[in-house]
Amino acid sequence: MTELLAVVAITFFAVISPGPDFAMVSRNSLLLSRRSGVLTALGIGAGVCVHVTYTLLGVGLLIQQSLWLFNLIKLAGAAYLIFLGIKMLRAKPVSAEVLAEQPALSSLGALRTGFLTNVLNPKTTIFIVSLFMQVVQPQTPLAVQLGYGAFIVLAHAVWFSAVAIFFSTDSVRGRLLAVRHWIDRVFGGLLVGFGMLLALTQQTR
């Protein structure tokens, strides 16, 4: 029971802490649509599923012990966040007519954005690998560990779907869409900042 409570508590605080996932879901929900935001959230859940899978297969231990492999993942994630952030920073004011003519983000595009944002985020790697290596006991049955993994995936999908629903409500979107290019730039700056922090943070073993 103590182990279960620790997994639930640590997951809760990890999920709600601000980061690239939150920034991407908020941005897509606010500036695109509720559907895009929820699909981005589901993509994040799929990314978490990848982290859980390789951790349960033992690859997580290799990542934890291999400094060069972890740094490779870290730099790839940082590059992706900076790339997305720069695209958003270049956003310019557009009229409602031009905005309506712009192609919407496809369902696959929204899922892919959420998936890549999470799966390339080394903070998620650290969180899940550390949780299973330090909190979950080796003698815990595999079925229980799979249950923990399913809970972590579900917690991410539910939380970020709730974030998407909130930021896509008419009252919130109606007040902020008029300054959408500034919102894009703010979220772009946040993503660039997250990426720079990832790239510059020294990891030691």
Side-chain angles (χ1 to χ4, degrees):
M1 179 61 72
T2 301
E3 181 181 272
L4 174 61
L5 292 176
V7 169
V8 171
I10 294 171
T11 299
F12 173 77
F13 287 111
V15 170
I16 66 173
S17 61
D21 292 341
F22 184 87
M24 189 55 64
V25 171
S26 302
R27 183 264 177 190
N28 284 355
S29 305
L30 184 61
L31 302 185
L32 299 178
S33 67
R34 174 168 296 179
R35 186 165 177 271
S36 293
V38 171
L39 287 171
T40 303
L42 295 179
I44 288 170
V48 175
C49 191
V50 171
H51 292 294
V52 170
T53 299
Y54 68 63
T55 299
L56 291 177
L57 290 175
V59 180
L61 182 61
L62 174 62
I63 294 173
Q64 188 180 50
Q65 299 299 323
S66 175
L67 182 60
W68 73 266
L69 181 57
F70 179 82
N71 283 333
L72 180 63
I73 296 171
K74 180 183 71 171
L75 291 175
Y80 180 68
L81 293 178
I82 292 171
F83 168 74
L84 289 178
I86 290 175
K87 286 179 63 177
M88 294 180 194
L89 284 170
R90 297 174 63 186
K92 296 175 179 159
V94 293
S95 65
E97 292 77 10
V98 174
L99 183 60
E101 295 174 356
Q102 291 182 346
L105 184 65
S106 67
S107 298
L108 181 60
L111 282 168
R112 183 175 60 245
T113 298
F115 177 79
L116 291 176
T117 300
N118 182 271
V119 84
L120 292 175
N121 186 358
K123 287 190 175 181
T124 308
T125 301
I126 294 171
F127 154 58
I128 294 179
V129 171
S130 298
L131 184 67
F132 278 91
M133 298 298 171
Q134 299 177 22
V135 177
V136 179
Q137 300 300 311
Q139 63 268 25
T140 300
L142 178 59
V144 175
Q145 295 190 43
L146 289 171
Y148 290 157
F151 168 75
I152 295 170
V153 172
L154 184 63
H156 279 79
V158 170
W159 166 252
F160 288 112
S161 292
V163 170
I165 291 171
F166 171 77
F167 278 98
S168 61
T169 56
D170 292 338
S171 57
V172 174
R173 295 186 79 233
R175 294 175 182 175
L176 298 177
L177 279 181
V179 290
R180 60 168 286 136
H181 62 289
W182 287 112
I183 295 171
D184 237 346
R185 291 174 184 176
V186 168
F187 282 121
L190 288 174
L191 289 180
V192 170
F194 286 134
M196 293 296 291
L197 284 174
L198 287 177
L200 297 176
T201 299
Q202 296 295 319
Q203 184 68 24
T204 58
R205 291 285 182 262

